Amino acid sequence: MAVQINPSILSADFARLAEEAEAVKGADWLHVDVMDNHFVPNLTLGVPVVESLSRATGTPLDCHLMIADPDRWAPQYVEAGAGSVTFHAEAAAAPVRLAREIRAKGARASMALKPATPIEPYEDLLPELDMLLIMTVEPGFGGQAFLDIMLPKIRRTRELISRHGLELWLQVDGGVSADTIERCAEAGADVFVAGSAVYGKEDPAAAVRALRAQAEDATAAAAWACTH
């Protein structure tokens, strides 16, 4: 399973999004945080910006919808150009139907869990997904400190994925940096969202490469990866 690094434009300069997208050459995806000031207490951007950004960069867009009523809105992000759309389990009324609709429109379907939401009740839904996102901070704001108490949840999720033999990506988002990415990889994550750890550096592309190298080394030594 290949390590993937997804820089978060939440930490980028919103006045220069096209340039900021180009500044992370070599990234696997560009992570786009969509917040509506209802599901989370913050407001960022929406469909028109995603549509413009998809035309401005060749890096595929990974849209994380921290919004109420994703059943209604998520398909529009696929139409706007997102290659992957993540909805929150806590907000979706019909997650299986929504995941299938996202896939039918041609994007990867992903579901996110807030820190207090356990993975176990969603075990039967995993085959409907292309990626599962474990939030390692409370969603809503960038720059928060990584929650170490999420590491056991990442391990349990990786165990479920392995038990069912799924080709399911396991993403982590929140406080991922040079100080925390190895612990996440060791626990079982293979897709890493990094905001200030990339865009807060003088050379964002070099930061992406450095994070990737750390995660790859940690994954190579991880017990979960040795069984695949």
Side-chain angles (χ1 to χ4, degrees):
M1 294 184 186
V3 162
Q4 299 184 64
I5 306 296
N6 300 9
S8 171
I9 64 165
L10 186 63
S11 298
D13 181 350
F14 274 27
R16 302 169 50 249
L17 284 184
E19 297 165 57
E20 294 283 65
E22 290 304 300
V24 291
K25 284 275 193 181
D28 298 282
W29 296 77
L30 199 61
H31 190 80
V32 182
D33 288 305
V34 177
M35 307 184 199
D36 64 355
N37 206 30
H38 293 286
F39 181 68
V40 292
N42 196 4
L43 185 66
T44 53
L45 45 81
V47 169
V49 174
V50 170
E51 196 169 20
S52 295
L53 193 56
S54 71
R55 293 196 300 265
T57 179
T59 305
L61 303 185
D62 166 32
C63 287
H64 177 194
L65 307 185
M66 288 169 272
I67 63 174
D69 199 9
D71 303 76
R72 175 185 178 188
W73 298 109
Q76 294 187 31
Y77 285 88
V78 184
E79 294 165 6
S84 176
V85 176
T86 301
F87 58 88
H88 266 266
E90 304 87 357
V96 171
R97 183 176 65 198
L98 179 55
R100 289 180 177 181
E101 185 174 0
I102 291 169
R103 281 176 155 181
K105 285 182 174 292
R108 295 179 63 86
S110 171
M111 186 172 73
L113 304 178
K114 294 169 71 173
T117 303
I119 177 60
E120 287 76 11
Y122 298 98
E123 179 177 355
D124 292 342
L125 276 64
L126 296 182
E128 301 288 341
L129 303 170
D130 298 296
M131 183 170 73
L132 189 82
L133 166 55
I134 301 293
M135 292 298 299
T136 44
V137 299
E138 288 293 341
F141 293 92
Q144 297 183 65
F146 179 82
L147 294 173
D148 282 279
I149 56 172
M150 290 299 102
L151 291 171
K153 182 176 172 181
I154 296 169
R155 290 191 181 94
R156 293 196 306 273
T157 304
R158 174 53 66 189
E159 288 168 4
L160 290 177
I161 292 170
S162 298
R163 186 185 309 162
H164 291 280
L166 300 173
E167 294 294 325
L168 182 67
W169 297 350
L170 180 51
Q171 185 180 64
V172 288
D173 180 5
V176 175
S177 68
D179 296 326
T180 61
I181 195 167
E182 291 175 5
R183 277 175 278 165
C184 294
E186 185 277 329
D190 53 8
V191 183
F192 306 88
V193 177
S196 54
V198 170
Y199 281 112
K201 303 298 183 182
E202 188 172 330
D203 186 342
V208 168
R209 292 192 295 271
L211 289 170
R212 187 189 304 281
Q214 280 188 275
E216 287 176 344
D217 288 347
T219 298
W224 69 267
C226 294
T227 62
H228 290 75

